[in-house]
C-alpha cells in the first residue's frame, strides 16, 4: 500500500513538471513585437539595415523586430510626404529630417512624447537636461514630437578646403592666400600635368552643387558670405541677412563662370552627387576641393595623403566667412499616430541610448573596432577602410544622444574625429567663420507652425530661383541685365518676406 502511494506521488510530480512554466522546462520565448520604419540612408552608402549585426543584436535584447524601408538622402523629403499623403504610415520615422511643426503641431500625425519619456526612455530622458541639450526640442505648442540626435564632436564648420600639396610641390607653387593666387594655381594644375601621367586630364576644382560640404555653396565664403542651404545668416548686431542679395554674391558668380569657361571647375558639378564626385577625386585628377575631412571617408588613402587643409582665401578686400556649425539637436526618431506599440517602440529606441550600445552603433563592436579603457572611457581601436563600418553598425543613420559633458566622460574621440576637430580649431583661430551660427536661425529658435509653413513654402520657391540662376550664370556668364532680373525674380518669389520671417522669430529668440 505504501509503495502505491509513493508511485502516485511520483506520477503527480512528473505531471506537475510537465506543465508550462514549471522547473525543468524553459518558458516559451515570446514572439517579438513587429514594427515598421521609414529609415534614412546616406546617399553614398549602401546599408542593409534588415540584416545588420547591430539591429539583430538589438532585436534579441529587446524583443522588438523592425522592418526597415530604406530611403536615400535625395529622396527623403519626397518619400516622407508621399507616406503621409497615402495614409499608409510607418510606425517609426528614423533619422533624416522631419518638419515636426507641420506633421506634429498642425496635422497631429505624430505622437507627442512628453508623457512617455520618463517611464519608457529613462536613459534618454536623463540626458535631456545636460548642457541644456533638450531645450530646443519642444515645438511651438510646447510638446516634443521627436527623439533628438546629438553628437557633440567639437566641430564648428561643414566643409574645409583642401589642396593637393604634392601637385603644388611638383609645380613649385605655394598654398594660395588670395583669390587671384588660387585662380593661378588652378590654371597651373590644368596645364602642368601635376599627376605626371602625360595626359591633360586634370580637373583642378572638383565639386558638387547645392551644399556646403563638397558643393560650390562654400565658394561664397571667399567674398565674406557664409552661404548655407537656407540662404540666411545673422550678424553680431542681430540683423538677419539673405545671402543672394549681399554684396559680393555677383562677384562670386562671375568667378565661378570664369572657372567653368576655363575648365578649371568640373561643370558637371551642377548635376553630380557625392558618389560621382568621390569617384572622380579617387582617379587622381583633382587638385582642390572642399570636404568634411580626409580620413575615414569615401576617398582612398593614397589620394588623401596628397592633400592638406588650407584656409578659405579672401577676395576683393573682404574677410572670408564660412558658415558656423554648433551642437544642435537633430531629428533622431518619431512615432506616427498609427503606431500601436508606443511603449515597445520607445523601449527599443532607449535601448540604443545605453552608453556602450550607443557607442557601438557609431564605432563598431567592443573587442573589434572599439575597446573599454581602464579609466572607464571607450576609444576606437581602428577604423575600417572605405566606410566598411556601415556593414556592421548604422553610424550616422542610427540613434545617438550625447551632450558634450557626458560624451567627454565616456569616449575618447577616434583619430578621424580628432582630425576634424583640428581643422575646426585651425579655422576658428584664423577667424574665418561667421560670428553667429546660422543654425540658431534654422535649427534652434522656435517658430510658430504658421511661420514654419510659410518659410518652407517660400524656401521651395527661392531655392528653385537661386539654383536655376546659378546654373545659368555659371554656364553663360553674368551681365548687369541678367543679375538685375535675378534680384527682381527673388523679390517676386518672396525673398524679403522670407528674411523678415526669420528676423521676427530671431527677435523673439533674442528677447527671450
Amino acid at each position: 500500500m505504501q509503495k502505491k502511494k509513493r508511485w502516485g506521488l511520483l506520477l503527480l510530480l512528473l505531471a506537475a513538471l510537465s506543465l508550462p512554466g514549471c522547473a525543468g522546462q524553459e518558458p516559451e520565448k515570446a514572439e517579438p513585437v513587429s514594427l515598421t520604419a521609414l529609415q534614412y540612408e546616406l546617399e553614398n552608402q549602401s546599408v542593409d539595415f534588415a540584416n545588420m549585426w547591430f539591429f539583430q543584436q538589438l532585436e534579441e535584447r529587446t524583443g522588438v523586430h523592425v522592418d526597415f524601408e530604406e530611403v536615400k538622402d535625395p529622396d527623403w523629403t519626397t518619400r516622407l510626404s508621399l507616406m503621409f499623403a497615402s495614409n499608409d504610415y510607418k510606425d517609426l520615422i528614423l533619422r533624416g529630417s522631419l518638419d515636426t511643426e507641420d506633421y506634429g503641431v498642425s496635422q497631429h500625425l505624430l505622437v507627442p512624447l512628453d508623457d512617455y519619456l520618463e517611464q519608457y526612455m529613462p536613459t534618454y530622458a536623463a540626458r535631456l537636461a545636460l548642457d541644456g541639450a533638450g531645450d530646443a526640442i519642444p515645438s511651438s505648442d510646447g510638446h516634443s514630437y521627436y527623439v533628438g540626435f546629438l553628437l557633440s564632436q567639437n566641430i564648428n564648420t561643414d566643409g574645409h578646403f583642401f589642396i593637393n600639396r604634392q601637385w603644388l610641390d611638383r609645380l613649385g607653387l605655394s598654398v594660395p592666400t588670395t583669390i587671384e593666387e588660387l585662380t593661378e594655381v588652378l590654371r597651373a594644375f590644368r596645364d602642368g600635368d601635376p599627376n605626371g601621367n602625360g595626359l591633360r586630364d586634370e580637373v583642378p576644382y572638383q565639386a558638387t552643387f547645392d551644399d556646403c560640404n563638397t558643393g560650390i555653396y562654400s565658394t561664397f565664403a571667399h567674398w565674406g558670405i557664409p552661404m548655407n542651404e537656407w540662404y540666411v545668416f545673422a550678424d553680431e548686431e542681430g540683423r538677419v541677412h539673405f545671402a543672394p542679395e549681399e554684396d559680393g554674391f555677383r562677384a562670386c558668380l562671375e568667378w565661378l563662370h570664369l572657372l567653368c569657361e576655363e575648365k578649371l571647375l568640373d561643370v558637371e558639378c551642377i548635376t553630380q552627387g557625392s558618389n560621382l564626385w568621390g569617384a572622380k577625386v579617387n582617379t587622381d585628377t583633382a587638385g582642390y576641393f572642399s570636404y568634411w575631412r580626409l580620413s575615414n571617408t569615401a576617398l582612398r588613402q593614397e589620394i588623401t595623403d596628397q592633400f592638406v587643409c588650407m584656409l578659405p582665401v579672401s577676395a576683393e578686400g573682404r574677410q572670408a566667412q564660412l558658415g558656423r556649425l554648433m551642437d544642435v539637436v537633430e531629428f533622431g526618431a518619431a512615432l506616427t499616430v498609427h503606431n500601436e506599440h508606443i511603449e515597445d517602440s520607445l523601449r527599443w529606441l532607449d535601448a540604443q541610448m545605453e552608453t556602450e550600445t550607443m557607442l557601438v552603433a557609431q564605432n563598431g563592436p567592443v573587442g573589434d573596432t572599439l575597446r573599454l579603457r581602464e579609466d572607464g572611457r571607450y576609444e576606437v581601436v581602428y577604423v575600417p577602410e572605405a566606410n566598411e563600418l556601415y556593414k556592421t553598425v548604422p553610424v550616422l543613420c542610427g540613434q545617438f544622444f550625447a551632450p558634450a559633458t557626458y560624451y567627454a566622460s565616456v569616449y575618447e574621440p577616434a583619430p578621424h574625429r580628432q582630425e576634424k576637430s583640428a581643422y575646426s580649431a585651425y579655422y576658428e583661430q584664423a577667424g574665418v567663420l561667421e560670428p553667429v551660427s546660422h543654425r540658431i536661425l534654422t535649427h534652434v529658435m522656435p517658430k510658430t507652425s504658421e511661420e514654419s509653413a510659410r518659410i518652407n513654402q517660400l524656401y521651395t520657391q527661392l531655392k528653385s530661383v537661386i539654383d536655376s540662376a546659378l546654373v545659368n550664370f555659371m554656364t553663360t556668364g553674368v551681365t548687369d541685365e541678367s543679375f538685375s532680373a535675378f534680384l527682381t525674380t527673388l523679390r517676386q518669389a518672396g525673398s524679403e518676406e522670407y528674411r523678415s520671417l526669420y528676423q521676427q522669430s530671431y527677435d523673439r529668440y533674442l528677447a527671450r
Side-chain angles (χ1 to χ4, degrees):
M1 187 70 178
Q2 198 68 23
K3 185 182 282 188
K4 287 183 179 180
K5 285 183 177 180
R6 284 200 299 270
W7 275 108
L9 288 170
L10 180 60
L11 289 172
L12 286 171
L13 178 61
L14 290 172
L17 289 173
S18 69
L19 291 174
C22 291
Q25 180 178 341
E26 292 187 12
E28 292 183 12
K29 195 171 184 178
E31 285 294 319
V33 172
S34 189
L35 303 172
T36 58
L38 197 69
Q39 171 69 60
Y40 171 87
E41 185 177 44
L42 296 172
E43 180 185 7
N44 62 349
Q45 300 297 332
S46 295
V47 185
D48 185 2
F49 291 90
N51 296 304
M52 184 180 288
W53 169 84
F54 178 82
F55 288 115
Q56 291 174 342
Q57 297 295 308
L58 191 65
E59 180 174 333
E60 287 186 17
R61 283 177 47 200
T62 63
V64 175
H65 173 77
V66 177
D67 290 315
F68 298 95
E69 180 176 332
E70 300 154 16
V71 181
K72 292 283 190 182
D73 176 76
D75 304 319
W76 178 256
T77 302
T78 301
R79 182 64 190 86
L80 195 63
S81 299
L82 289 173
M83 182 194 75
F84 283 116
S86 69
N87 203 38
D88 182 20
Y89 304 169
K90 304 297 181 184
D91 296 312
L92 295 161
I93 301 169
L94 303 176
R95 295 297 285 126
S97 59
L98 181 66
D99 186 345
T100 54
E101 284 289 333
D102 183 12
Y103 294 119
V105 177
S106 300
Q107 298 192 51
H108 309 292
L109 302 179
L110 305 176
V111 176
L113 303 177
D114 314 78
D115 295 335
Y116 297 100
L117 294 181
E118 190 171 338
Q119 182 175 359
Y120 301 111
M121 291 196 72
T123 304
Y124 168 72
R127 290 183 203 149
L128 288 173
L130 299 177
D131 305 325
D135 292 353
I137 292 179
S139 295
S140 60
D141 64 357
H143 291 299
S144 297
Y145 292 96
Y146 70 96
V147 173
F149 179 99
L150 178 59
L151 179 58
S152 300
Q153 299 186 72
N154 193 26
I155 59 175
N156 56 23
T157 196
D158 203 328
H160 302 270
F161 292 96
F162 297 96
I163 195 159
N164 197 314
R165 175 85 250 186
Q166 191 175 99
W167 287 15
L168 289 173
D169 291 344
R170 286 176 179 171
L171 298 174
L173 301 171
S174 300
V175 175
T177 59
T178 67
I179 198 70
E180 292 80 15
E181 290 178 3
L182 177 58
T183 306
E184 289 305 315
V185 163
L186 295 179
R187 286 170 175 151
F189 283 172
R190 178 196 61 195
D191 300 333
D193 189 27
N195 64 9
N197 65 359
L199 303 173
R200 196 180 175 109
D201 59 352
E202 289 83 0
V203 180
Y205 181 11
Q206 193 59 259
T208 56
F209 189 56
D210 57 347
D211 68 86
C212 294
N213 183 20
T214 56
I216 60 166
Y217 277 14
S218 298
T219 59
F220 291 91
H222 305 317
W223 279 264
I225 301 174
M227 182 78 154
N228 57 66
E229 290 89 340
W230 300 271
Y231 315 118
V232 288
F233 62 94
D235 61 29
E236 292 177 286
E237 284 72 45
R239 295 187 296 265
V240 175
H241 299 258
F242 182 63
E245 295 176 344
E246 290 293 297
D247 289 341
F249 196 85
R250 172 177 173 172
C252 181
L253 294 174
E254 291 171 343
W255 188 68
L256 287 169
H257 171 63
L258 179 147
L259 297 187
C260 289
E261 191 173 44
E262 296 191 17
K263 293 183 171 50
L264 303 177
L265 168 66
D266 185 355
V267 72
E268 290 185 3
C269 69
I270 291 168
T271 57
Q272 71 187 9
S274 59
N275 278 340
L276 183 55
W277 172 88
K280 288 182 176 180
V281 174
N282 278 330
T283 61
D284 192 22
T285 56
Y288 172 76
F289 55 76
S290 62
Y291 201 20
W292 183 254
R293 62 172 181 260
L294 294 176
S295 61
N296 191 32
T297 64
L299 303 182
R300 295 187 289 117
Q301 185 174 342
E302 53 265 43
I303 296 296
T304 59
D305 284 347
Q306 301 176 38
F307 285 81
V308 294
C309 182
M310 62 174 276
L311 294 174
V313 301
S314 295
E316 300 177 0
R318 292 180 170 87
Q319 172 60 53
Q321 282 194 52
L322 276 168
R324 178 186 292 275
L325 299 186
M326 59 183 288
D327 278 344
V328 171
V329 177
E330 299 176 10
F331 174 76
L335 280 60
T336 71
V337 292
H338 285 193
N339 190 319
E340 297 179 352
H341 302 281
I342 293 175
E343 293 85 355
D344 293 300
S345 299
L346 295 178
R347 286 195 183 103
W348 182 77
L349 290 169
D350 200 52
Q352 297 175 61
M353 301 298 187
E354 185 273 327
T355 297
E356 184 170 298
T357 304
M358 188 175 69
L359 294 176
V360 165
Q362 188 76 203
N363 302 286
V366 173
D368 181 13
T369 55
L370 191 69
R371 79 177 181 95
L372 178 60
R373 306 192 320 186
E374 292 184 0
D375 64 0
R377 298 170 75 205
Y378 292 82
E379 72 173 358
V380 171
V381 180
Y382 79 97
V383 178
E385 294 183 2
N387 282 335
E388 287 289 306
L389 203 56
Y390 280 90
K391 293 182 178 179
T392 309
V393 294
V395 198
L396 292 174
C397 298
Q399 302 300 312
F400 203 92
F401 197 82
T405 53
Y406 157 76
Y407 199 25
S409 71
V410 299
Y411 180 64
E412 176 72 18
H416 61 278
R417 302 202 188 285
Q418 295 184 40
E419 176 200 349
K420 175 70 175 178
S421 296
Y423 298 147
S424 296
Y426 177 39
Y427 277 27
E428 185 73 76
Q429 186 175 8
V432 296
L433 304 176
E434 62 182 346
V436 179
S437 175
H438 61 275
R439 286 199 164 196
I440 291 177
L441 303 177
T442 57
H443 288 73
V444 175
M445 68 182 194
K447 309 172 189 69
T448 66
S449 56
E450 291 78 12
E451 288 171 338
S452 181
R454 184 57 176 159
I455 283 172
N456 288 337
Q457 181 183 30
L458 290 170
Y459 171 77
T460 301
Q461 297 170 189
L462 291 167
K463 179 173 174 57
S464 176
V465 172
I466 293 166
D467 286 350
S468 175
L470 279 177
V471 171
N472 183 57
F473 289 141
M474 289 171 63
T475 55
T476 65
V478 190
T479 65
D480 290 344
E481 183 180 5
S482 64
F483 193 73
S484 177
F486 167 59
L487 294 178
T488 299
T489 306
L490 284 177
R491 287 190 288 272
Q492 292 171 344
S495 61
E496 179 53 31
E497 182 186 359
Y498 183 72
R499 188 201 63 78
S500 296
L501 284 168
Y502 274 106
Q503 183 72 68
Q504 69 186 33
S505 298
Y506 191 43
D507 289 342
R508 287 199 311 268
Y509 174 81
L510 293 177
R512 189 182 69 175

